[in-house]
Amino acid sequence: MKPFATVLEVGSSLSNRTGSWRTERPVYVHRLPPCNNACPAGENIQEWLSLVEQEKYEDAWREIVKNNPFPAIMGRVCYHPCENACNRVVLESPVGINSVEQFLGDKAIKEGWAFDKPAKASGKKVLVIGSGPAGLSAAYQLARAGHKVTIKEMLDKTGGMLRFGIPQYRLPRDVLDAEIKRILDLGVELQLNTKESDLAATMEKGGFDAVFLSAGAHIAKLASFPTSDNARVLDAVSVLRDMEGKTKPSLGKRVVVYGGGNTALDVARTAKRLGAETVTIVYRRNREKMPAHAFEVDEALQENIVIKYLSTIKDYQKTTLTLETMALDEKGWPQPTGKTETMEADCVVLALGQDSDLSFLDKVSGLKIANGVLEVDAQMMSGHPGLFAGGDMVPSSRTATVGIGHGKKAARHIDLWLFKQEAPAEVKNEIAGSDRLNTWYYAEAQRTERKMTDGAKRAGTFDEVQSGLSQDEALSEARRCLSCGNCFECDNCYGVCPDNAIKKLGAGKGFEINLDYCKGCALCATECPCGSIDMVPEEN
Amino acid sequence: MNNALRNPKGIYTIGNRLVDQKERTIQSSTDRCNALNCGHRACQGCGEALGARCVVDAAMRATNGQLIVVNATGCLEVFSTPYPETAWQTAWVHSLFGNAPAVATGVAAAMKIKGRGEVRTLAQGGDGSTTDIGFGCLSGMFERNDDVLYVCYDNQAYMNTGVQRSSATPPAARTATTPTMGHEPGNVFGTGKNLPLLAMAHQIPYVATATVSDIQDLEAKVTKAMSMRGARYLHVLVPCPLGWGSLPRHTITLARLAVQCGLYPLFEAENGEVTGSTKIRQHVPVENYLQLQKRFAHLFKNGKAVDERLARMQAMADANIRRFNLLGVEEN
Ligand SMILES: Cc1cc2nc3c(=O)[nH]c(=O)nc-3n(C[C@H](O)[C@H](O)[C@H](O)COP(=O)(O)OP(=O)(O)OC[C@H]3O[C@@H](n4cnc5c(N)ncnc54)[C@H](O)[C@@H]3O)c2cc1C
Ligand SMILES: Cc1ncc(C[n+]2csc(CCOP(=O)(O)OP(=O)(O)O)c2C)c(N)n1
Ligand code: SF4
Ligand code: SF4
Ligand SMILES: [Mg+2]
């Protein structure tokens, strides 16, 4: 029969290569999520949130501990700069990264997850001075790389300021112990009650191929004001350290804390828990200028701690304290006004910051010490070859997270240095800014906060003040992550291409542009929720 | 459709790796039929090409591939099937500009007589062929309740022949035949017809509107239409970069803004009664939609509204919002 109509072959349009119309081509890219960029420990936050999203909790924990062996600790005490950087603010509020981290850390302890076995023994030995977060982080990374690590710690317990600074109502000691034990279980040798007092001599003796210093900053800065012999002046570092001893410090009923940093707040809240009736923080500037974080100030106020701003201590005789009112000048510095007042105090606790005790380095050659801290280069190495340092004793913003990051970085460079290798050039992707998000595709989802015990109630005990998220809460919090700058396989590009020019490669494999037919309309790039497609001009 | 159902895991994207495969869209699946394959000659970012693939893929899925598509003349036919090529991967027939509904009626009747009732018929055309030249045939197809799903891809003008006004062109829009001249430049207010409402007036089993910015919604409507027999009508808004003077990359943005400002309501009707509407999620003024299109450029000067007719456009959107309860709570 003669065909009654023209009949065309299926697939005949494929000979028309419409890709030749293109002036720009879509390219899948990876951008650096702002949270990852802000994390001082260098966690790949987006990656582990995505694993939580898929309910792969153990995988998520293993991703965190590549960079930070302390998710349960840092999930409690980190000041979470990641959340301040989180792009989700353009929708409602940042992802609760810190609380999900705590959830994973706690789950790992409960489930007894252990670290992967260290790599094959390298035969190299590294000495670490100090068992604070910086030293433990370095020891952990070095041990995982197969090196033999010995930690010298002058105190009778590990942890540095995590234990002898941060109070247990913020960081329960069983959590601290569990995460430190896991590191020691890798075969790290620990020498407690062993103060390093002459490093030059120790190095002379040999037995180590490299050294990492992380002695922290423990010497309280003092203030000078006249006192009588029977006036009690203590310092915050000693008070907090004594909290870990057998006999707790006795501070009296009326306690005054002098200073405006996080340590001042921690010691004030500790005094309250030790039974003080009134706790007053005296600070010479105003709330805005206070170095303590706003949330810590709020928590202290909820516990009925009084803060006297714009005041300095002039004089302290027996139990009578004289304060002078200050006024801020144009530059924001406090200037005396001559106006004074008095109040009664059973003791004054100084919380004016800490200096490092670097006397054990006196005889080591090549070091540069400025402003009381040891200078290191970008590889965390001091002026003495093979001697690396990090944490509070080097120039830094002095947080535990920064210390953990230093420890990790130093370990990487010690490893390279030991084998005389060059550090590979660092490739840092461009930051995934919120301007590249197509927020239409994300549903509104409010943030779940961890619950806090009521102020008056929690101030009466050393119990932890905040409780962690449930698994369901952690899951929904992780699902709030936008996956900034990295494809999460939402299929938008694949679905919106009018030319069917995108190939879906299957779960975990992403997509591929079929350049034979892509006309370069940029619908895929425009409709990508997380900004992981660039449009790149075609050459000529 | 219920927003919570569409959005079980916090996102409105086309796919969602966190939900069961069965619940994902057809367009997110690697075994979608790609009824309209690569190599077609539609412009960059053509909304009609995208809309047609989504519609026909969904109909193919719903009928297990037992589908015959009848196409009117227009961009969709011309860009997909320039002799001797075709981009269609389905049984597909083209006859004339104005007769697609009548041809489809014939196809459906033939299948019935041959005892092949499982083979279903879908007819499709642009707004010109639907609202103007083919409207007589379409009205007859509705009136007889013939077993055809008719889909209109509305790009609001005769695009294939160079952007002439149709009875679906919105007021104030510039086309080749409604130039920006005189004291009321562009298309005249108070003209044109609303095809979904006209279809409803025929009391046919199913009428719905959809667009390319909400593929979940579009697929659900095609699937529902294919679960029914008799005459069914689907109106799909498809932005056209060439005719609208918009950036190819803005095709979906524009479809979304048309819905979110209220000018293009998404709703469903059965037997002449509205049964539900898709709610506006982020309400915006009509300017946001109009400003991205050169065909409305005369309404703005330096990004500022200068024409009092904008208020009339806004009033149209507001009327839709009231009529279809677009900001209201989800019924059911
Ligand atoms: C009260 C308080 C609260 C804080 N709260 C937070 C917080 O909530 N979040 C946060 O991120 N940061 C907080 N910080 C800061 C944080 O604790 C420190 O930045 C961090 O502990 C520094 O780590 P590090 O390893 O450098 O030093 P450290 O933690 O100080 O550890 C140094 C260790 O070295 C030992 N050591 C010192 N000298 C020698 C020697 N010669 N021989 C042998 N061992 C030696 C010390 O005994 C100590 O164990 C707080 C600090 C204080 C004081
Ligand atoms: C009887 C007849 N008149 C005019 C034409 C020329 N013609 C072909 S396509 C077209 C316009 C189609 O417009 P529309 O239906 O809106 O589809 P679009 O191209 O916009 O998708 C016209 C006028 C024709 N093919 N047949
Ligand atoms: S949304 Fe996710 S990826 Fe983006 S900054 Fe926040 S936590 Fe990081
Ligand atoms: S003129 Fe418009 S409808 Fe026609 S192919 Fe181009 S974009 Fe698509
Ligand atoms: Mg048209």
Side-chain angles (χ1 to χ4, degrees):
Chain A
M1 195 175 78
K2 213 168 150 259
F4 66 92
T6 311
V7 178
L8 302 172
E9 286 297 314
V10 170
S12 47
S13 66
L14 295 178
S15 62
N16 188 28
R17 303 289 166 106
T18 53
S20 62
W21 306 6
R22 198 174 53 240
T23 57
E24 283 183 319
R25 68 168 67 183
V27 176
Y28 291 95
V29 294
H30 291 284
R31 293 234 173 179
L32 179 62
C35 52
N36 293 14
N37 184 51
C39 175
E43 288 182 23
N44 188 348
I45 296 164
Q46 181 184 81
E47 175 64 20
W48 62 254
L49 282 173
S50 142
L51 290 164
V52 173
E53 260 186 81
Q54 299 166 59
E55 299 173 75
K56 297 179 181 162
Y57 298 107
E58 187 172 344
D59 293 348
W61 177 79
R62 291 196 183 280
E63 172 54 48
I64 294 185
V65 300
K66 281 183 196 165
N67 298 298
N68 179 354
F70 300 123
I73 297 171
M74 297 320 292
R76 289 173 165 82
V77 304
C78 184
Y79 299 124
H80 44 74
C82 53
E83 291 186 23
N84 301 339
C86 174
N87 278 340
R88 179 114 208 172
V89 277
V90 302
L91 280 125
E92 347 62 11
S93 49
V95 174
I97 300 169
N98 191 243
S99 56
V100 182
E101 180 170 34
Q102 177 187 345
F103 167 78
L104 289 170
D106 287 353
K107 191 172 171 75
I109 294 172
K110 205 156 47 196
E111 309 273 345
W113 295 334
F115 293 137
D116 298 341
K117 289 262 165 309
K120 196 163 88 345
S122 68
K124 302 282 184 191
K125 289 186 192 149
V126 184
L127 174 64
V128 172
I129 305 296
S131 67
L136 287 169
S137 163
Y140 162 74
Q141 300 288 359
L142 290 164
R144 279 186 99 170
H147 307 306
K148 179 85 193 103
V149 182
T150 303
I151 302 179
K152 277 194 190 178
E153 168 56 58
M154 67 177 184
L155 296 177
D156 62 345
K157 288 189 193 118
T158 51
M161 282 300 182
L162 296 178
R163 188 188 303 274
F164 295 102
I166 299 176
Q168 61 182 32
Y169 60 82
R170 291 208 286 127
L171 176 56
R173 299 310 187 230
D174 53 341
V175 172
L176 179 64
D177 291 337
E179 290 201 326
I180 294 179
K181 179 171 182 295
R182 217 191 264 130
I183 294 176
L184 299 177
D185 286 349
L186 290 174
V188 171
E189 186 195 338
L190 173 67
Q191 300 175 355
L192 291 173
N193 303 306
T194 310
K195 180 169 176 162
E196 178 55 69
S197 39
D198 185 354
L199 188 70
T202 304
M203 295 202 303
E204 187 88 358
K205 247 186 265 152
F208 297 102
D209 302 296
V211 181
F212 178 68
L213 304 175
S214 49
H218 292 248
I219 310 170
K221 287 194 171 116
L222 300 178
S224 61
F225 46 80
T227 55
S228 62
D229 287 346
N230 51 4
R232 284 191 75 209
V233 179
L234 305 170
D235 73 80
V237 187
S238 316
V239 170
L240 291 169
R241 185 190 302 129
D242 290 350
M243 288 301 299
E244 294 300 307
K246 286 211 174 61
T247 44
K248 305 286 169 251
S250 95
L251 303 177
K253 293 287 169 209
R254 299 160 301 181
V255 177
V256 166
V257 174
Y258 195 26
N262 298 316
T263 308
L265 290 158
D266 277 338
V267 82
R269 294 171 73 183
T270 298
K272 197 85 191 179
R273 284 165 174 77
L274 286 171
E277 276 158 17
T278 63
V279 178
T280 311
I281 293 175
V282 173
Y283 177 56
R284 58 197 184 116
R285 295 195 284 172
N286 58 16
R287 176 158 180 178
E288 267 160 46
K289 302 269 179 215
M290 208 170 183
H293 294 88
F295 74 90
E296 287 185 298
V297 175
D298 288 339
E299 287 174 21
L301 294 174
Q302 287 156 9
E303 294 174 9
N304 287 324
I305 283 158
V306 177
I307 305 182
K308 270 188 96 59
Y309 295 104
L310 293 168
S311 297
T312 51
I313 297 180
K314 264 215 96 81
D315 180 66
Y316 186 32
Q317 302 294 325
K318 201 172 164 201
T319 58
T320 306
L321 191 65
T322 307
L323 303 179
E324 176 168 6
T325 307
M326 307 298 276
L328 296 187
D329 62 20
E330 319 81 75
K331 288 195 180 133
W333 292 109
Q335 301 299 343
T337 61
K339 255 188 285 168
T340 60
E341 59 179 316
T342 59
M343 67 184 288
E344 291 298 297
D346 299 318
C347 82
V348 170
V349 183
L350 304 178
L352 302 166
Q354 291 93 246
D355 290 321
S356 294
D357 177 0
L358 302 179
S359 57
F360 71 106
L361 299 175
D362 283 351
K363 295 183 197 138
V364 181
S365 62
L367 300 185
K368 190 166 167 226
I369 291 167
N371 301 318
V373 284
L374 177 66
E375 305 259 295
V376 286
D377 62 15
Q379 284 77 45
M380 309 306 296
M381 189 158 87
S382 71
H384 188 100
L387 189 56
F388 294 75
D392 283 5
M393 65 175 282
V394 306
S396 83
S397 52
R398 289 196 171 170
T399 67
T401 339
V402 167
I404 292 165
H406 283 176
K408 175 183 93 169
K409 191 170 178 192
R412 195 173 66 229
H413 289 291
I414 288 172
D415 189 71
L416 292 165
W417 185 84
L418 285 172
F419 297 103
K420 308 219 161 14
Q421 284 173 324
E422 281 290 309
E426 259 184 73
V427 270
K428 201 169 156 184
N429 292 333
E430 264 181 273
I431 306 232
S434 59
D435 54 324
R436 285 176 52 104
L437 298 172
N438 187 334
T439 55
W440 168 259
Y441 291 103
Y442 300 105
E444 186 190 304
Q446 292 304 327
R447 174 180 161 112
T448 311
E449 299 290 354
R450 286 171 279 196
K451 293 192 187 45
M452 271 260 164
T453 316
D454 175 68
K457 199 168 149 206
R458 67 179 187 244
T461 85
F462 281 96
D463 293 346
E464 189 171 13
V465 293
Q466 178 171 263
S467 50
L469 298 184
S470 69
Q471 183 154 311
D472 283 349
E473 287 170 332
L475 180 60
S476 58
E477 202 49 42
R479 286 183 174 167
R480 294 180 66 237
C481 173
L482 310 172
S483 193
C484 307
N486 293 287
C487 172
F488 60 106
E489 295 181 26
C490 76
D491 299 328
N492 263 12
C493 54
Y494 178 63
V496 300
C497 175
D499 290 281
N500 187 29
I502 294 182
K503 220 162 115 194
K504 177 168 166 171
L505 303 176
K509 300 196 195 99
F511 304 87
E512 201 175 80
I513 308 289
N514 184 344
L515 292 170
D516 285 344
Y517 301 103
C518 164
K519 294 170 186 160
C521 70
L523 274 176
C524 52
T526 312
E527 300 308 318
C528 173
C530 63
S532 59
I533 305 178
D534 279 354
M535 291 305 294
V536 177
E538 291 290 346
E539 280 160 27
N540 66 59
Chain B
M1 222 205 296
N2 186 307
N3 276 342
L5 265 182
R6 291 145 54 102
N7 178 35
K9 299 280 155 72
I11 47 174
Y12 295 95
T13 51
I14 290 179
N16 185 343
R17 67 201 163 110
L18 298 177
V19 303
D20 202 71
Q21 198 80 43
K22 291 197 299 289
E23 294 171 45
R24 301 189 201 168
T25 60
I26 297 161
Q27 283 309 305
S28 72
S29 155
T30 46
D31 43 57
R32 72 186 190 201
C33 119
N34 280 321
L36 184 62
N37 202 7
C38 317
H40 65 67
R41 297 168 188 231
C43 305
Q44 274 186 333
C46 174
E48 190 164 71
L50 174 59
R53 187 185 74 224
C54 295
V55 166
V56 181
D57 280 1
M60 285 292 279
R61 173 78 65 97
T63 58
N64 243 329
Q66 300 299 301
L67 185 74
I68 296 174
V69 179
V70 178
N71 214 128
T73 311
C75 273
L76 181 58
E77 170 261 325
V78 171
F79 72 58
S80 67
T81 315
Y83 182 84
E85 291 164 13
T86 184
W88 291 102
Q89 314 207 74
T90 52
W92 181 90
V93 188
H94 166 245
S95 169
L96 292 173
F97 189 23
N99 68 355
V103 173
T105 293
V107 169
M111 286 301 131
K112 192 169 168 199
I113 281 168
K114 288 172 70 121
R116 300 287 310 273
E118 80 283 6
V119 178
R120 310 294 304 276
T121 311
L122 185 152
Q124 56 186 6
D127 52 293
S129 69
T130 307
T131 68
D132 295 337
I133 189 169
F135 185 65
C137 294
L138 182 63
S139 180
M141 188 205 102
F142 286 162
E143 170 273 318
R144 295 184 302 270
N145 199 25
D146 292 331
D147 189 19
V148 175
L149 169 62
Y150 187 94
V151 184
C152 169
Y153 300 104
D154 180 6
N155 52 20
Q156 305 191 326
Y158 291 75
M159 296 311 180
N160 187 60
T161 41
V163 200
Q164 295 84 12
R165 176 198 177 276
S166 79
S167 57
T169 301
R174 179 198 67 196
T175 66
T177 47
T178 55
T180 49
M181 294 192 303
H183 75 288
E184 285 202 344
N187 192 30
V188 184
F189 266 85
T191 59
K193 31 180 135 149
N194 184 323
L195 239 278
L197 295 183
L198 282 168
M200 280 166 64
H202 290 77
Q203 311 279 333
I204 56 175
Y206 187 68
V207 172
T209 60
T211 186
V212 288
S213 63
D214 194 339
I215 288 178
Q216 280 89 339
D217 182 80
L218 180 148
E219 286 183 355
K221 285 167 176 169
V222 174
T223 306
K224 183 161 177 186
M226 294 315 293
S227 74
M228 298 169 149
R229 293 274 176 175
R232 290 141 289 141
Y233 179 75
L234 180 67
H235 194 93
V236 186
L237 180 72
V238 288
C240 164
L242 181 95
W244 295 16
S246 54
L247 294 175
R249 70 184 307 149
H250 280 160
T251 291
I252 289 172
T253 310
L254 282 169
R256 179 156 58 234
L257 289 170
V259 174
Q260 298 305 309
C261 74
L263 277 177
Y264 188 72
L266 294 178
F267 66 93
E268 288 177 296
E270 288 177 43
N271 306 311
E273 296 272 353
V274 173
T275 55
S277 60
T278 304
K279 302 308 167 205
I280 287 176
R281 183 147 68 78
Q282 284 175 17
H283 191 200
V284 292
V286 292
E287 278 105 297
N288 293 26
Y289 167 62
L290 302 173
Q291 246 178 336
L292 294 176
Q293 308 172 48
K294 288 214 187 74
R295 64 176 173 155
F296 294 112
H298 51 284
L299 301 181
F300 301 93
K301 201 168 187 174
N302 301 327
K304 284 219 163 53
V306 289
D307 197 304
E308 52 82 27
R309 289 183 305 161
L310 263 174
R312 292 177 74 180
M313 302 284 270
Q314 186 62 54
M316 286 166 57
D318 295 344
N320 282 337
I321 290 171
R322 282 192 301 277
R323 180 174 197 165
F324 297 101
N325 187 26
L326 299 178
L327 288 173
V329 284
E330 200 78 42
E331 50 260 46
N332 81 51

